[in-house]
Structure formats: structure tokens, C-alpha cells
Amino acid sequence: MTFSMRDLDQALQGCGQKSGIEIWRIENFKPVAVPKESYGKFFTGDSYIVLKTTPSRSGSLHHDIHYWLGKDSSQDEAGAAAIMTVELDSALGGRGVQYREVQGHETEKFLSYFKPCIIPQEGGVASGFNHVKPEKHQTRLYICKGKHVVRVREVPFARSTLNHDDVFILDTESKIFQFSGSNSSIQERAKALEVVQYIKDTYHDGKCDIAAVEDGRLMADAEAGEFWGLFGGFAPLPKKSALRDHLTAGSDGIKLFSVEKEQTKHIEAESLQKELLDTNKCYILDCGLELFLWKGRNNSIDQRKSASQAAEEFFRSSERPKANLVSVMEGFETVMFRSKFDSWPTTSAVAEPQQGRSKVAALLQRQGVNVQGLVKTSTSSSSKEEPKPYIDGTGNLQVWRINREEKIPLEAAEQSKFYSGDCYIFQYSYPGEDREETLVGSWSGKQSVEEDRGSAISTATKMVESMKSMPAQARIYEGKEPIQFFVIMQSFITFKGGLSDAFKKYVAENEVPDTTYDAEGVALFRVQGSGPENMQAIQIEAVSTGLNSSYCFILHGESTVFTWRGNLTSSGDQELMERMLDLIKPNENTKAQKEGSESEQFWKLLGGKSEYPSQKIKKDGESDPHLFSCTFSNENLKVTEIFNFTQDDLMTEDIFILDCHTEIFVWVGQHVDPKKKPQALAIGEKFLKHDFLLENLASETPLYIITEGNEPPFFTRFFTWDSSKSAMHGNSFQKKLAILTNKGQPVLDKPKRRVPVYSSRSSVPEKSQPRSRNMSSTPDRARVRGRSPAFNALAATFENTGTRNQSTPPPMVSPLVRKLYPKSLAPDLTPKSAAFAARTALFEKSRPTQEPSSSPGPSKATNEVETAKLRSEEESMSSIHEDSKEEEEAEDEEESSLSTFPYERLKTDSEDPPSDIDITRREAYMSSAEFKEKFEMTKSDFYKLPKWKQNKLKMAVHLF
């Protein structure tokens, strides 16, 4: 029997279709929707169903279904809620996870929906209680427990209730007191302050005083005296708490029970294996403090209901009514459930095979047949899957190669050329929102030796420490590079072999062939990337099996250079190949090869023709982020997941790990024990080794070390970030108390650093080299980020190092160079915007009032000098305006001389692209009206933007 949405109660129909929380209260065994303004308010005599719908990055919806049981709710009501939960899950597809929540013992995931806490009120509908609304405020005492989520419980208002271990909140009519036991942690005190804020807003309309009382301050403090006066005066507190948490005792190991006809049967087994679970049955896994109900796919809806009722009875018979129950469906088991088994087979996503016309189209296209119209292209969808870098690409880069304990600086032209047998260190400074950001990292090649890898990581760590741990640190391995790394390097080339002494020693001692790249030998490069600011050429084995229909390749050998383009490549891919060719083999004549029409010499260099793949190499996609709090002691790592996390969950006393599968971030608070701060990298590596989420994490997954107050944008993107919070002084409790009492404002730990207008690629001097299109830098002018190499070479002949902010007009550029390298990618040779700002600031400053002086002579002379300076500045400003006007007029003339085409033809994935256009400058061929519609601005406003921003906007509308 199947169960659909229309079979549900009327109040439940249509739920779970959008992100968010939905809540129903059980009234007379029927679900009744709770108004949104009442979310988070629970009554002790009622039962509730809470549905949390979360969209995943893949677009599918995930459902967590909780049924909450108040301490005074009846067993019949609890059973009804459990059955409704099973029906709701089945109607939503049977893929959700169901949770049994008991008042006072809720799961952390459930509590995370209602931050900072829930405080159930007395009363209830089903149990016959009335919802009491007291006319006068009642003084109440609450106990708060928890570092990450707070469990709040009302306790007797008596001095004997207090203890040294916990945090208490005393809510009076005019003031809220927080009493922090001397043994309570800073994190518990800080979290309890969030409860204080909640009580103030909920029960006092935000109007009451707040006082923090510390255990041991006695009567000397006025607020402490007032607090103790409410208890009849101070008296010593007991050493042990008089309160009991009623925690369930753990069972004797993990036990597995099968469920049939509401009866449970223990299954004897030496070890827990997945094979013990039969798809036609249901099982209870007893783990002491928590129980799991596993339901096989072939079970009917009635069998699942029966199993849920059996689980409720299991609670009562085992005298553990407060334990949590998590119900999972076969194939959608939670990580926690799978981790209880000694063996659980890893599951991996299997690519769907091409069917029908798609398969035929792929075969025909590989043979060079035009399949336009046969099947929809996926160019646009694949471009959407390209991750965003979240890092500015216009910064200053320095790179060193590791040679044992020595680091050898690389010249600017060689900074993005790495060898697979070597290790490298890079330092990248770039403009952030309010300061200059720095990233220091190590890159280890696949063929590198352990000696160089260890040296690279330790050297990078020492560099970060020498800068007071302000830069973010990255540990990167070849083949697992994040998008940030490629954007930093821009034109990245990986050669086979290595140059370091340790690599050469390894090759000699192990008698393995030295495959180090030889510019005169045979070499094959696969070209990949998403654009000029993110492109790579990877040297692979020079054999035909290395080819792929979805990529372009560069092959050289026997004094010949070939370019090869697969039939599944785009014009953008071919453009990247041309750009990389400039870097690998400049000034060389090439022989273009198209898939299906290769020459015999081409196949000869590759050792003969053979079969090769056509599908793009799949990369792991970024998954939904998970935040973990870490405890690391004696090489033992323990983690606790923080659900529905926010920036406020990052406590300055702790170390946290943010896992998004493709990257791991280790966040270190400012108040972490100084002895544990250097262990951040080891903690990250331990996390990768243990793979707590059972997601098959590779040990080479990129690792970042982030310190509080220095969070880069590619980390803060996972939060709604307020930089002033991380820049405040004090521990977690002091920070939150200052905000709560309005007695403190965020104080920056360090002054804002000015972001330079221009950043050079390297401070390392470079020898002049006669190069063609691959000129990435010159001795007189560092490379401007994001622009073509040829333009940088051309600009170097007109500029000197010391003339960055000059107001002279730019040199004329030939139409041919403009055609190949458009102005959208060209360096701004006259930074007039910076000059404008500097000059305008001078005129906007108010002139100081001249006071009478006893020596008017010097004052008059000074005024004459100032007048002359201002006149000179006005003339200079006039010159700038004239230069700017001339440049804009020349720009308009050039734009008007271009032909116009419809936007649909100019897109990168157009099926009917216009011929004889500059494909790197597609937006210039749009009409003014269509341009404004797509970019929401005029062309003149667009070209005033920074070049990197122009490129981002063009990528968003598929013109780049």
C-alpha cells in the first residue's frame, strides 16, 4: 500500500514543498497548524509535529520530521503523533529522517531550529490543562546547560538549587540576573546570555535591566548583593548539585532487534554488519542513550506504523521513556546510524548512462557530425556548476620552490609553472572589503617526495607565524586544487618530473625513469579551465589514450607543435588553448588538428592511434557545509556537529572545522590555548583521516587554517558575516555581555590596512626575455592581474615603474592588438579614477580659518604659496578632465564602428554565433537597448567598472 499526499490529513497536505519549518499541534488526535508567530512556543501537556525542509545543493529537498512530546502528554497522544509522522514521511517520498523528541531531552538538531532555546509553558489542550496567562510577572529560576545549544529548565526558586557547576538565570519583574557557577565554562556563560536576551525580548518586551553575577563575588558587588538578597542573603553553596539530570544509563553495548508484528527479537551477532539488515523487515538498534529504527524498502506503510508502535512500547518496557528515537529508511541512513556498524559499504554516485538521442548524438559528434538540434547542449548548465572563487584576482603573488630546507624564489614569468615532482610555497596579498587579505600556502606535486612536502608545509607555517598568524594558510596537493588557487595562478601549467635535489635523488636511488619535462622532447598537455583568469595546462603521458573529446590539447615533439581540439569542445575552450600555447611554445608555428581528421605524424608522436574517452573528467562537487566543534587531546580528536550554524556559534575559546567536502577549514579562536593553536593543521589532517561524515574524504583534500578576526571571503561566504563581531576584544562571554548591555562597541584588534591601487605580481626582479603573446611580466612593469600577456608587454614599453598614477593619456594601440586582446582585458594604463579621488579630496577639505598673527609677513607668503599650489592642482585637474573626455570620445567612436548582433547569437553557447567578431569582447556587439537590459547599466557605466568586475558580469550572462 502506498501513501500519497492526498491521503494525509487536510492540515498536512501540501507541506514540505519549500525551505523552512512547519509545525502542527495534536488536538483530539488531529494535527492543527501552529501560526508562525507561535513557533518555538511549546506546552508541556501537548504533542507536536515539526517538519524541517532543507534544499540541498543538488536542488532536491531533504526532510527532517520530529514529533515532540511534552512531559504531561498522554501515551495515546504520543502514539498518534508517531503514526502521523510515518504517514507524513511516506507521503513526502519516504526519504526523510524521523525523530522522537521528549521534553528536556531533545536532540541538538531539534533545538537548533529554535535558537537560542525553548522554554515549554505549563498547560495543554489534549491533556485538559488550560494555557495559563499570569496577570502578574512571576519570578522564575532557570538552569542552562550546553556549550553549543542550550537546554533550559525551570527549577525551584531556592538558594539550595544553585551550585558551582552550572549557569542559572533569575527572571524578576524589573531585572534579569545571570549567575555563573565558578566551574562553568566561558562558552556556557556566553550561550546563557543568549537565553537572557530571549527572556528579555519575549517576557519583558525588551525593557528590563540585565546583571551578570559571578560565583564568589559575594556582597562586595552591588548587583551580587541584590541577587543574593532575593534569596534571603548569601550562604555557601553545596559542592555537589542537588539537581539531577535524569540521564539514561547506557546499555551493555549496542544491540540489534528485529521487529515483526509489534514484537522485538534480539539478534545475536559477533559484529554488526549491514548484511544483518533484511530489506523486508524493520529493526531497532539499541545504543543506550539513543535508539534507531531502521525500515527496509519493501515494508508497507502498515508495517512501518507497526514498527513505530513497537519502538514506543520498547521504550516503556526498557524503562527509558526519555531516550531519543531516530527512524531511517533503507538507502537514506544517517551518518550516525552507519557509524554504529563495524562494516558499511561505501556508496558512490553512479553517473547516469546516456540514453536514446543523447547517446547517438555523442557518438556522431565524436565523428565530427553536426548534431545541432538533435539534442540540447549542456554548456549553459555546466557553466552554472563552475564554483565561484570568492577571492580577488588582482593581488600580489610571490612563489618559491622548495629545495630541501631552502626556498628558491621564482621570477614572475615562472610563478605559475610548477613541476609535479616538486613542492612550492606561495604568498598572495589581495584587496578585501576593509583591509588587505593575505593567503600563504604550500602546493605538493603528485611525484614529490615526503622530505620536500614536509619542508614546504613547515616553511609555510613559519611564514604565517612570522606575520602573527594573520594570513590564512592553505595546504594544497596536485589534482585537488581549489578554485581559489587557480584564480591566483591564472595561467597554471604543471610539468612532469621535478627539479629539486630530493626528487633527483629519489629517481637515482630507485632507478625509475626521469620524466622531467623537456622543451625539445615529446610532451602532451591537456588544457582546461573556465576562462582567461582560470585556465590550466596539465602535462600527461604522451599517448593517444590520454586524449579526450571534451578537451583541447597541445602536443609538441620532433620540432613540430600540434593543437588538437575535441569535437565536444567550445570556442571558449579553443581560446584557452591558444592562450596556453603562448606560454608553452611561443613564436612557434602550429599545426591545427581536429578530432577525426588527424595527420599520421600526429598519431606517430603519440605512439599510434587508440581508443580514448569523451566525457569530461568529473570533479567532486561542493556539498552542504557542516560545522564541527573540536576537542583534541593526546592525538585523539573528538568532534560535535553544530546544526543550523551561524557566526555566533564560533566561540573564541574553541577550534572549529567547517567541512564542505571539497575543502576543509580549521577555524582557530583568539582565546584558544596557545599550546593547541600550533596543532590546527594536525587537527585538520586527523579530521580527514577519520572522515566523520563517511563521505570518502581524500587525505589530499585542501586544508585551510583560519584565525579569528582574519577570516577570508571564501570562508565567510558560508555565514551571514559581521566582521565587527570577530574583531571585538574579550572572551565569548565578555563580547556578548558588552553587546547585550550596550556597554561596549566592537573594537578592532588591528587597524584597517589600506588596499593599494596597483599590486605587483612579485617583488622578485625578472630578467628581460623577448617573448611573444606569453609575456606575463617585464623587468620594468609587474603584470597587471586579469589582463592578457601581450597587452602587458605592450604597456611596459610606455610605462615606467614609478609612474603609476600619472595623468597622461594612454598610448595608442593598433587595431590588430585591440582585436586579439580587447580593452575589457587590457590594463588601465592611466588610473585616472585614483587621480580623480586624490584631487577631489584636496578640494573638498575645508580650509583652516586664519587667526590674527603678530607676524603677518610669513602668513601672507604662506597664503601665496597655498594659492599657487591650488592653482596648479586646478590646472592638473583640468588636464585630467580633458584627457578623460578625449578617451571617452575615442571609445565611443570605436563602439559605433562595430556591427551589432542579437544577444542570443553572441552568447558563448549560441548555436548560431556570428563570424568575424572578437570572441573575447562579445558585449561590444550588443545594441545599447539590449546591453542595458542584460547588464542593467549603460555601456559607458560598464566600462568604468574594474576589469575583474566586468568579466564577472559578462560570465553571469554567458558572454565570457
Side-chain angles (χ1 to χ4, degrees):
M1 173 185 174
T2 58
F3 206 87
S4 64
M5 187 65 74
R6 63 176 177 270
D7 297 319
L8 288 174
D9 187 280
Q10 184 71 28
L12 297 174
Q13 292 185 11
C15 66
Q17 303 306 309
K18 59 182 180 179
S19 176
I21 294 176
E22 297 168 88
I23 304 177
W24 300 265
R25 182 170 60 193
I26 307 302
E27 299 182 9
N28 298 321
F29 304 103
K30 292 284 186 179
V32 176
V34 174
K36 287 190 176 182
E37 58 269 18
S38 297
Y39 282 9
K41 293 181 180 179
F42 295 89
F43 291 91
T44 60
D46 289 333
S47 297
Y48 296 81
I49 295 176
V50 177
L51 171 63
K52 177 68 164 65
T53 305
T54 308
S56 65
R57 289 184 179 269
S58 63
S60 60
L61 295 176
H62 174 76
H63 298 103
D64 289 299
I65 311 172
H66 308 254
Y67 61 100
W68 185 89
L69 309 176
K71 65 182 180 66
D72 297 319
S73 61
S74 66
Q75 292 184 4
D76 291 340
E77 197 175 51
I83 290 175
M84 289 182 198
T85 300
V86 174
E87 294 175 345
L88 177 58
D89 176 53
S90 181
L92 291 172
R95 300 182 178 186
V97 181
Q98 303 163 41
Y99 301 83
R100 179 183 188 264
E101 309 283 356
V102 179
Q103 179 183 340
H105 300 272
E106 297 89 351
T107 61
E108 292 197 356
K109 173 172 278 193
F110 179 82
L111 292 175
S112 72
Y113 303 153
F114 309 102
K115 290 182 178 180
C117 66
I118 59 172
I119 304 178
Q121 303 176 37
E122 294 292 332
V125 172
S127 53
F129 297 144
N130 293 320
H131 296 166
V132 181
K133 294 183 179 180
E135 297 179 359
K136 185 178 179 181
H137 186 276
Q138 296 182 359
T139 299
R140 300 177 185 273
L141 182 65
Y142 301 95
I143 185 173
C144 301
K145 289 179 175 289
K147 287 174 56 176
H148 308 300
V149 294
V150 190
R151 301 178 189 277
V152 181
R153 178 160 56 98
E154 186 177 353
V155 292
F157 175 32
R159 186 170 52 200
S160 59
T161 303
L162 304 175
N163 62 66
H164 298 295
D165 300 324
D166 296 311
V167 180
F168 295 83
I169 295 175
L170 180 62
D171 179 19
T172 70
E173 186 173 6
S174 59
K175 184 179 286 189
I176 303 174
F177 296 87
Q178 175 172 318
F179 174 81
S180 302
S182 56
N183 297 331
S184 62
S185 68
I186 296 295
Q187 297 94 317
E188 288 177 311
R189 300 179 189 187
K191 279 295 177 183
L193 279 177
E194 296 179 7
V195 180
V196 171
Q197 180 70 62
Y198 171 78
I199 294 174
K200 177 181 178 180
D201 294 338
T202 305
Y203 302 109
H204 297 269
D205 296 324
K207 299 174 183 178
C208 73
D209 294 329
I210 292 172
V213 179
E214 290 188 23
D215 186 7
R217 290 176 66 173
L218 306 182
M219 305 291 289
D221 183 90
E223 290 181 336
E226 184 182 356
F227 172 79
W228 287 113
L230 294 170
F231 288 90
F234 173 79
L237 298 181
K239 292 184 178 180
K240 293 186 178 180
S241 171
L243 299 171
R244 294 184 179 181
D245 293 332
H246 305 290
L247 293 177
T248 308
S251 62
D252 299 329
I254 299 176
K255 297 179 181 179
L256 183 66
F257 298 85
S258 63
V259 182
E260 291 185 70
K261 298 180 180 180
E262 299 189 22
Q263 300 295 319
T264 57
K265 179 182 178 182
H266 181 242
I267 297 178
E268 299 286 347
E270 294 183 0
S271 63
L272 279 179
Q273 308 289 332
K274 183 184 181 299
E275 289 72 21
L276 294 172
L277 304 177
D278 185 350
T279 188
N280 298 303
K281 296 182 180 179
C282 295
Y283 296 85
I284 291 176
L285 187 66
D286 183 0
C287 303
L289 291 175
E290 57 186 348
L291 279 78
F292 293 90
L293 175 60
W294 184 89
K295 297 165 288 188
R297 288 190 182 186
N298 292 343
N299 283 280
S300 66
I301 183 67
D302 291 332
Q303 287 175 304
R304 297 174 196 173
K305 291 180 183 179
S306 176
S308 294
Q309 291 175 332
E312 285 290 332
E313 182 60 34
F314 188 87
F315 280 119
R316 289 190 286 270
S317 62
S318 61
E319 298 182 353
R320 282 179 287 170
K322 304 298 184 184
N324 293 317
L325 173 68
V326 180
S327 301
V328 296
M329 178 66 72
E330 180 184 3
F332 303 96
E333 297 87 355
T334 63
V335 172
M336 190 60 69
F337 178 82
R338 286 181 284 147
S339 67
K340 305 296 183 183
F341 285 73
D342 300 314
S343 173
W344 193 279
T346 57
T347 56
S348 58
V350 180
E352 295 183 6
Q354 291 178 314
Q355 299 294 338
R357 292 197 299 175
S358 297
K359 188 173 182 180
V360 175
L363 292 173
L364 293 175
Q365 196 167 11
R366 281 192 59 183
Q367 298 173 13
V369 178
N370 183 4
V371 294
Q372 181 176 335
L374 180 60
V375 65
K376 291 184 178 180
T377 60
S378 60
T379 307
S380 59
S381 61
S382 63
S383 63
K384 291 180 182 178
E385 295 172 1
E386 185 69 31
K388 296 181 180 179
Y390 294 96
I391 193 170
D392 191 291
T394 62
N396 172 40
L397 175 67
Q398 293 175 274
V399 182
W400 297 267
R401 179 171 61 82
I402 292 296
N403 191 30
R404 298 191 186 277
E405 299 298 324
E406 180 186 7
K407 59 175 190 176
I408 303 172
L410 300 186
E411 297 180 353
E414 304 298 320
Q415 286 182 345
S416 59
K417 298 177 181 179
F418 286 16
Y419 284 83
S420 185
D422 291 337
C423 295
Y424 298 82
I425 295 173
F426 62 91
Q427 178 178 325
Y428 182 65
S429 301
Y430 59 98
E433 289 186 4
D434 58 358
R435 65 177 188 269
E436 187 179 71
E437 306 276 2
T438 303
L439 175 65
V440 174
S442 63
W443 182 93
S444 301
K446 290 181 179 179
Q447 297 176 277
S448 62
V449 297
E450 198 61 38
E451 178 184 350
D452 283 345
R453 293 185 180 188
S455 179
I457 294 174
S458 64
T459 304
T461 301
K462 290 176 183 177
M463 289 174 62
V464 172
E465 291 173 351
S466 69
M467 291 180 269
K468 299 181 179 180
S469 299
M470 292 174 65
Q473 182 179 348
R475 189 219 64 178
I476 298 171
Y477 285 96
E478 180 186 357
K480 290 288 185 177
E481 297 92 345
I483 183 65
Q484 290 86 237
F485 178 82
F486 287 141
V487 169
I488 290 171
M489 295 297 170
Q490 294 191 349
S491 305
F492 184 64
I493 304 174
T494 304
F495 297 113
K496 295 179 72 66
L499 305 176
S500 76
D501 294 340
F503 174 78
K504 292 178 180 178
K505 180 181 178 183
Y506 172 83
V507 170
E509 290 180 349
N510 292 272
E511 298 182 353
V512 295
D514 188 354
T515 58
T516 301
Y517 173 70
D518 179 6
E520 304 302 323
V522 178
L524 179 64
F525 294 87
R526 182 181 68 244
V527 179
Q528 60 192 37
S530 60
E533 295 182 349
N534 170 23
M535 55 184 182
Q536 305 91 47
I538 313 298
Q539 185 182 359
I540 61 176
E541 290 292 331
V543 292
S544 56
T545 53
L547 297 176
N548 189 310
S549 303
S550 296
Y551 296 92
C552 293
F553 291 79
I554 297 171
L555 172 67
H556 70 71
E558 298 181 1
S559 303
T560 307
V561 180
F562 291 96
T563 60
W564 186 89
R565 56 187 179 93
N567 286 328
L568 300 181
T569 59
S570 65
S571 59
D573 296 328
Q574 296 162 30
E575 181 191 346
L576 295 186
M577 177 179 65
E578 292 295 330
R579 289 175 178 266
M580 296 307 294
L581 183 63
D582 294 338
L583 300 175
I584 297 173
K585 281 292 181 179
N587 305 323
E588 296 278 353
N589 294 323
T590 61
K591 295 183 178 180
Q593 306 285 302
K594 184 181 178 182
E595 183 178 6
S597 58
E598 300 87 351
S599 65
E600 291 185 7
Q601 185 184 7
F602 175 83
W603 292 119
K604 182 181 177 182
L605 284 177
L606 293 178
K609 186 177 181 180
S610 60
E611 289 292 322
Y612 51 83
S614 62
Q615 295 299 312
K616 276 205 168 186
I617 301 171
K618 287 191 175 181
K619 292 186 177 181
D620 289 341
E622 187 175 272
S623 64
D624 297 312
H626 296 263
L627 183 68
F628 298 88
S629 173
C630 302
T631 303
F632 190 59
S633 179
N634 298 324
E635 298 297 317
N636 184 28
L637 177 63
K638 293 182 179 179
V639 299
T640 302
E641 183 167 5
I642 313 299
F643 299 100
N644 297 295
F645 60 84
T646 65
Q647 181 185 355
D648 290 335
D649 290 311
L650 298 175
M651 296 289 200
T652 185
E653 297 79 16
D654 291 330
I655 294 177
F656 291 83
I657 287 180
L658 184 67
D659 174 11
C660 60
H661 185 68
T662 55
E663 295 169 297
I664 304 295
F665 300 86
V666 182
W667 183 91
V668 183
Q670 292 288 357
H671 286 72
V672 169
D673 184 348
K675 295 180 180 179
K676 293 186 177 180
K677 286 185 178 181
Q679 298 176 335
L681 185 61
I683 290 174
E685 291 176 338
K686 279 280 185 181
F687 184 87
L688 289 173
K689 181 179 180 181
H690 286 292
D691 191 14
F692 290 96
L693 291 179
L694 305 180
E695 53 184 333
N696 300 322
L697 279 176
S699 59
E700 297 83 10
T701 301
L703 266 178
Y704 296 93
I705 311 299
I706 311 292
T707 56
E708 182 183 11
N710 302 292
E711 295 86 354
F714 51 87
F715 173 80
T716 59
R717 67 188 175 98
F718 296 102
F719 304 81
T720 301
W721 195 261
D722 181 355
S723 58
S724 65
K725 288 183 178 180
S726 61
M728 287 181 69
H729 291 297
N731 59 38
S732 298
F733 176 74
Q734 292 167 339
K735 290 179 181 180
K736 291 194 176 181
L737 184 62
I739 296 173
L740 188 60
T741 58
N742 295 319
K743 292 181 180 179
Q745 296 296 327
V747 180
L748 291 177
D749 287 327
K750 51 188 176 297
K752 294 183 179 180
R753 290 166 283 177
R754 295 184 64 183
V755 179
V757 177
Y758 281 84
S759 296
S760 65
R761 287 289 283 166
S762 175
S763 60
V764 181
E766 180 188 15
K767 297 179 181 178
S768 178
Q769 298 177 359
R771 298 175 70 87
S772 172
R773 291 174 292 172
N774 70 321
M775 194 75 170
S776 61
S777 182
T778 70
D780 299 322
R781 183 181 190 275
R783 172 181 171 183
V784 179
R785 302 280 301 176
R787 285 85 187 240
S788 75
F791 232 119
N792 289 318
L794 183 64
T797 62
F798 294 93
E799 282 191 286
N800 291 323
T801 308
T803 57
R804 288 182 174 176
N805 288 329
Q806 56 191 351
S807 59
T808 53
M812 296 302 293
V813 182
S814 70
L816 176 60
V817 176
R818 282 193 180 276
K819 174 79 173 177
L820 290 174
Y821 302 100
K823 63 186 174 188
S824 62
L825 295 175
D828 188 355
L829 302 182
T830 59
K832 57 181 179 296
S833 58
F836 261 157
R839 299 297 184 189
T840 305
L842 289 173
F843 285 108
E844 288 178 348
K845 289 181 180 178
S846 59
R847 300 180 183 179
T849 305
Q850 295 292 333
E851 296 181 358
S853 175
S854 58
S855 54
S859 177
K860 182 178 180 181
T862 303
N863 287 339
E864 290 177 356
V865 172
E866 291 296 326
T867 304
K869 286 175 66 177
L870 287 174
R871 187 181 297 114
S872 175
E873 286 167 356
E874 289 173 356
E875 292 173 357
S876 177
M877 182 68 87
S878 175
S879 174
I880 292 173
H881 277 291
E882 290 175 3
D883 294 342
S884 175
K885 188 175 180 181
E886 290 176 6
E887 185 178 358
E888 289 178 2
E889 288 175 354
E891 206 171 82
D892 292 339
E893 287 179 8
E894 183 187 355
E895 295 295 336
S896 61
S897 65
L898 296 175
S899 303
T900 58
F901 297 95
Y903 165 72
E904 292 299 327
R905 293 189 63 190
L906 291 169
K907 289 167 52 178
T908 54
D909 57 349
S910 171
E911 297 179 352
D912 182 26
S915 58
D916 195 28
I917 67 166
D918 181 0
I919 59 175
T920 65
R921 203 175 153 214
R922 301 173 189 269
E923 80 288 348
Y925 300 92
M926 295 174 65
S927 66
S928 298
E930 203 165 24
F931 187 97
K932 191 170 184 179
E933 177 188 349
K934 295 297 179 182
F935 289 94
E936 298 181 349
M937 66 180 74
T938 63
K939 287 188 179 182
S940 59
D941 289 338
F942 176 81
Y943 289 121
K944 290 176 184 177
L945 297 173
K947 306 308 177 189
W948 63 268
K949 195 165 187 178
Q950 292 180 20
N951 292 341
K952 281 191 174 182
L953 292 173
K954 286 158 63 175
M955 288 178 70
V957 294
H958 307 293
L959 291 176
F960 185 75

